[in-house]
């Protein structure tokens, strides 16, 4: 019996089904069966599923007619399932790398549970940042398994079916099945949680949900919205039969009618029958309202009262007033929520704080990269400045002790953004941030561009679709006063990719200062923290993101590489930051350092770098340690992503294209030989002219202290720099 049965309905998503199935088959945890549910043999989706089944015996397609809908497809998959736990995955979504291993580990911790809810990520494919909508739902739940009575707000109706693992025996014993019709997840989730006795949560992201450009099908106009009431009635009647306590029935009632009122308040969702929908909802509301249940406060409470009274005319008038207020608010800056927008607008009327600097890195992922290096130097050279680092919720732990920080999206964060004179970021601040007269925006970037960036991406369809509106991108560029560059090549690319009126600062990257200031003791300490065995040769493997792939799996068998390269070789695996989920995917002689707080420390620990086309090669070159390029798909990458120069003609070291070639250059020592050193020297001359250990100081003095360029520390010539020493010898006997 497999641990997991993964059921993947495929109607209407044949074009993306292969990615969904690949994301499952590529999981490091392999004890599963994969059940694609296809329309009929010979259909496009069935052909995709059949090809996967030919290559993998764990893939077992079944069929369900399109007329059965999503519910029928899932039920057909459940009838074929034999696993201990059921997982559902929409055919255009993917499992994140390491998802099944994380689920298995969590279930081992909790013991047998009926339902294991987990977090998921909503990822717009055309523009916008990913969000984790399950996070607030799963917050404030026990760390161990619990009875549903302990967490009454976890009703099951606010999460999709693919955001949980369901014990198959529990589903069978309770006779659970997906109710027919639209909004089937509401009925399934509500009924399942009413029957569950033991539940747990996993707060890590397991599923990446790709948000369609046109939005969810359930939000499109149509008569199907009336079926939401069918699902709500099904759940409420079951709750009444069970005699649910007020502690549980109240949150269930509120959450169901929050969804009902949301539909009632959007007349465009229902082409006709608005009044009939409202009247039926009103009857349902009065029949199932828990005794003594008070409406919520504010506007939502008014809607509850009008629904209870059956006052459709008053409800329609209130709906119209809200739409008018929404149109009026459209001219206000756009942080989320009307109250927040008004608060931000109010603080924009106040004078700038001349001593306030706000920093952010990687869209709030943590205290990292150039902004963190500038922040640290500013605390020494400009102690009069109040420096605040912005991080997203859940990343507060990345901020060092003594560093003031705020959570992105909070009222406090928007107040700071409105008043700050200095704003420093290696990506972009939210689109709603206003560039105020007298404020100074510094864009630090976060790598030397080998791949195309900005508007240069417009001719590459895959990345252009992910980038979205280039007009909006250029609107964000217009806020920049300064743009940091690490070499002349970058300066030329930024000018073309991000056309704007900003000033280029060719000062080097502050994060790279560490490569010139770290000592041998620092290197030894970092290696010990990472678990690098003494006397070993640590090879950092850092592949880049592929825009044409979903999820991350190394293209190398890293354990096999270690065996072939030499008995003293260990690999430090650092995936692209897109795939940092805080977990570890490897063992043995492979040390997963993806989640380590600092890429600079990882580089300092490594005796050599193996990468494909990652910008980390330009940073690592500052250490003057060997670099080997593993270019197994260069032609594909260049065609799909676009590149700014021919890496194969100007590499930083030996170029290999197969695992055997890569292992060979380590066995015969050519990875650290004279030819490798000569290639690296030419590469460093072109791409490392300014990184001399004083980049952060130059930025602070020029941008934050306003010193003239002539007063800044001159760049130390490349030949005079002394990089941090490597721990291992560079040439083998």
């Amino acid at each position: 019996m497999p641990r997991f049965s993964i059921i993947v309905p495929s109607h209407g998503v044949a074009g993306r089904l292969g990615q969904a199935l690949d994301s499952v088959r590529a999981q490091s945890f392999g004890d599963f069966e994969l059940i694609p549910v296809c329309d009929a043999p010979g259909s496009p989706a069935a052909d995709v599923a059949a090809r996967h089944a030919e290559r993998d015996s764990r893939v077992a397609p079944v069929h369900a007619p399109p007329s059965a809908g999503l519910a029928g497809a899932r039920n057909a998959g459940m009838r074929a399932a034999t696993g201990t736990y059921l997982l559902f995955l929409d055919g255009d979504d993917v499992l994140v790398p390491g998802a099944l291993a994380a689920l298995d580990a969590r279930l081992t911790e909790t013991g047998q549970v009926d339902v294991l809810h987990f977090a998921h990520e909503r990822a717009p494919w055309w523009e916008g940042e990913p969000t984790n909508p399950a996070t607030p739902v799963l917050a404030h739940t026990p760390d161990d398994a619990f009875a549903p009575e302990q967490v009454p707000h976890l009703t099951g109706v606010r999460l999709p079916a693919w955001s949980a693992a369901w014990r198959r025996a529990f589903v069978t014993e309770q006779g659970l099945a997906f109710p027919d019709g639209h909004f089937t997840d509401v009925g399934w989730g509500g009924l399942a949680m009413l029957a569950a006795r033991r539940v747990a949560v996993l707060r890590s992201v397991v599923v990446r949900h790709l948000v369609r450009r046109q939005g969810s099908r359930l939000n499109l106009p149509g008569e199907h919205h009336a079926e939401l009431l069918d699902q709500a009635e099904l759940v409420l009647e079951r709750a009444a039969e069970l005699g649910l306590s007020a502690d549980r029935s109240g949150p269930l009632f509120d959450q169901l009618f929050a969804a009902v009122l949301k539909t009632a308040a959007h007349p465009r969702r229902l082409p006709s029958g608005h009044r009939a929908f409202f009247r039926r909802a009103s009857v349902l509301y009065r029949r199932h309202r828990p005794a003594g249940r008070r409406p919520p406060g504010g506007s939502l409470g008014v809607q509850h009262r009008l629904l209870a009274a059956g006052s459709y005319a008053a409800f329609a008038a209130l709906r119209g007033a809200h739409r008018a207020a929404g149109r009026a608010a459209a001219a206000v800056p756009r942080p989320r929520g009307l109250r927040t927008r008004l608060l931000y607008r109010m603080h924009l009327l106040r004078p700038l704080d001349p001593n306030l600097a706000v920093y952010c890195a990687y869209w709030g992922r943590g205290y990292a990269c150039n902004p963190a290096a500038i922040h640290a130097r500013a605390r020494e050279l400009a102690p009069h400045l109040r420096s605040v680092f912005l991080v997203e919720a859940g990343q507060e732990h990345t901020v060092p002790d003594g560093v003031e920080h705020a959570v992105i999206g909070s009222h406090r964060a928007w107040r700071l953004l409105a008043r700050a004179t200095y704003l420093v970021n290696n990506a972009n601040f939210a689109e709603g941030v206003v560039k105020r007269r007298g404020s100074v925006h510094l864009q630090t970037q976060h790598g030397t561009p080998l791949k195309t960036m900005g508007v240069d991406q417009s001719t590459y369809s895959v990345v252009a679709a992910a980038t979205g509106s280039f007009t909006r991108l250029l609107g964000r560029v217009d806020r920049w006063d300064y743009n940091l560059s690490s070499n002349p090549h970058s300066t030329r690319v930024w000018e073309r990719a991000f056309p704007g009126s900003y000033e280029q600062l060719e000062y080097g990257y502050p994060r790279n200062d560490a490569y010139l200031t770290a000592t041998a003791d620092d290197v030894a300490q970092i290696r010990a923290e990472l678990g690098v065995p003494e006397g070993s040769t640590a090879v950092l493997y850092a592949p880049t993101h592929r825009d044409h792939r979903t999820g991350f799996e190394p293209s190398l068998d890293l354990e096999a590489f270690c065996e072939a390269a030499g008995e003293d070789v260990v690999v430090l695996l650092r995936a692209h930051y897109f795939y940092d989920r805080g977990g570890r995917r490897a063992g043995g002689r492979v040390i997963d350092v993806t989640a380590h707080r600092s890429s600079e420390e990882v580089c300092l620990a490594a005796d050599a770098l193996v990468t494909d086309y990652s910008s980390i090669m330009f940073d690592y070159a500052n250490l003057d340690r060997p670099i080997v390029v593993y270019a197994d798909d260069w032609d594909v990458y260049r065609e799909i992503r676009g590149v700014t120069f021919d890496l194969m003609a100007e590499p930083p070291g030996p170029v290999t294209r197969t695992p055997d070639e890569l292992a060979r250059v380590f066995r015969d020592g050519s990875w650290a030989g004279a030819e490798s050193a000569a290639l690296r020297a030419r590469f460093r001359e072109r791409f490392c002219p300014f990184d001399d250990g004083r980049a952060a100081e130059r930025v602070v003095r020029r941008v934050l202290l306003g010193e003239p360029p002539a007063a800044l520390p001159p760049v130390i010539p490349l030949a005079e720099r002394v990089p941090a020493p490597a721990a291992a010898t560079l040439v083998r006997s």
Side-chain angles (χ1 to χ4, degrees), residues 106 109-110 113 115-117 137-154 198-203:
R106 181 60 174 149
E109 290 176 355
T110 63
V113 293
V115 184
L116 175 66
H117 290 288
V137 181
L138 303 182
H140 309 299
T141 56
D143 293 333
D144 299 323
F146 55 88
E149 293 81 11
Q150 295 176 251
V151 187
H153 76 267
L154 194 60
R198 199 164 186 268
V199 180
V201 301
L202 171 64
R203 298 181 181 90

Side-chain angles (χ1 to χ4, degrees), residues 274-285:
H274 309 108
R275 189 181 298 271
F277 180 93
F278 186 87
R279 286 176 175 171
R280 185 185 168 199
S282 179
V283 172
L284 198 62
Y285 187 98

Side-chain angles (χ1 to χ4, degrees), residues 558-582:
L558 297 178
E559 286 287 354
F561 165 74
C562 290
E563 292 294 332
E567 61 183 14
D568 63 335
V569 171
V570 297
V571 167
L572 303 176
L573 168 61
R574 190 169 183 85
H576 192 277
Y577 61 82
F578 283 0
Y579 310 116
D580 174 12
R581 301 299 167 198

Side-chain angles (χ1 to χ4, degrees), residues 73 91 113 154 220 252 290 378-379 456 481 494 504 515 613 689:
V113 293
L154 194 60
L220 297 176
L252 177 63
R379 297 178 78 187
D456 284 350
D481 295 289
W494 301 144
Q504 296 270 20
Y515 301 141
Y613 326 118

Side-chain angles (χ1 to χ4, degrees), residues 316-497:
L318 178 66
R319 185 178 61 199
H322 282 172
R323 291 203 303 276
R327 288 191 294 269
V332 180
R334 288 168 287 175
R336 293 182 178 179
L338 177 59
R339 181 181 175 187
T340 306
R341 288 197 294 264
L342 294 174
L343 178 73
Y344 181 56
R345 186 177 181 87
M346 177 186 71
H347 284 284
L348 287 174
L349 299 175
R350 300 176 63 190
L352 288 171
D353 183 341
N355 293 323
L356 176 59
V358 172
Y359 298 78
C360 188
Y362 297 118
W363 305 275
R365 290 175 56 83
Y367 187 84
C369 194
N370 292 318
I374 296 169
H375 174 277
R377 199 74 173 108
R379 297 178 78 187
E380 301 173 15
L381 298 177
H384 64 284
L385 293 180
R386 177 191 176 195
S387 299
V388 185
F389 219 97
L390 301 186
V391 293
E392 64 181 2
Q395 295 300 315
E396 297 92 335
H397 66 280
T398 68
V399 182
D401 292 341
V403 173
E404 185 178 357
H405 63 277
V407 174
I408 291 175
S410 67
H411 288 181
R412 178 167 176 263
W414 282 107
R415 285 196 298 270
L416 292 166
L417 288 168
R419 301 287 314 284
T421 294
Y422 306 100
L423 294 99
V424 181
N425 206 327
N426 72 350
N428 268 303
F429 287 102
E431 197 162 304
V433 172
V434 172
K435 173 66 169 75
R436 297 188 62 180
R437 183 185 299 274
S439 66
V440 177
H441 284 240
L442 169 64
Q443 167 60 256
T444 74
Q445 303 294 347
H446 52 268
T448 292
L450 167 59
K451 61 189 177 186
T452 56
M453 303 291 291
V455 296
D456 284 350
Q457 299 171 345
S458 60
T459 57
Y460 297 90
S461 57
V462 173
V463 290
T467 301
S469 171
F470 290 98
T471 300
R472 292 184 177 180
L473 170 64
L474 293 177
R476 295 189 289 269
V477 170
D478 287 341
R479 297 187 305 215
W480 303 353
D481 295 289
Y482 299 102
N483 181 59
L484 197 57
S485 176
S486 57
N487 48 62
H489 164 80
S490 295
T491 302
R492 291 191 295 271
V493 172
W494 301 144
E495 289 175 349
R496 184 177 66 246

Side-chain angles (χ1 to χ4, degrees), residues 7-47:
I7 298 165
V8 189
S10 63
H11 179 65
V13 293
R16 296 189 179 274
L17 179 61
Q19 292 181 345
L21 302 183
D22 285 341
S23 76
V24 178
R25 295 177 56 223
Q27 293 289 310
S28 57
F29 182 89
D31 187 14
F32 63 82
E33 61 179 359
L34 178 55
I35 307 174
V37 185
C38 310
D39 294 345
S43 65
D47 291 342

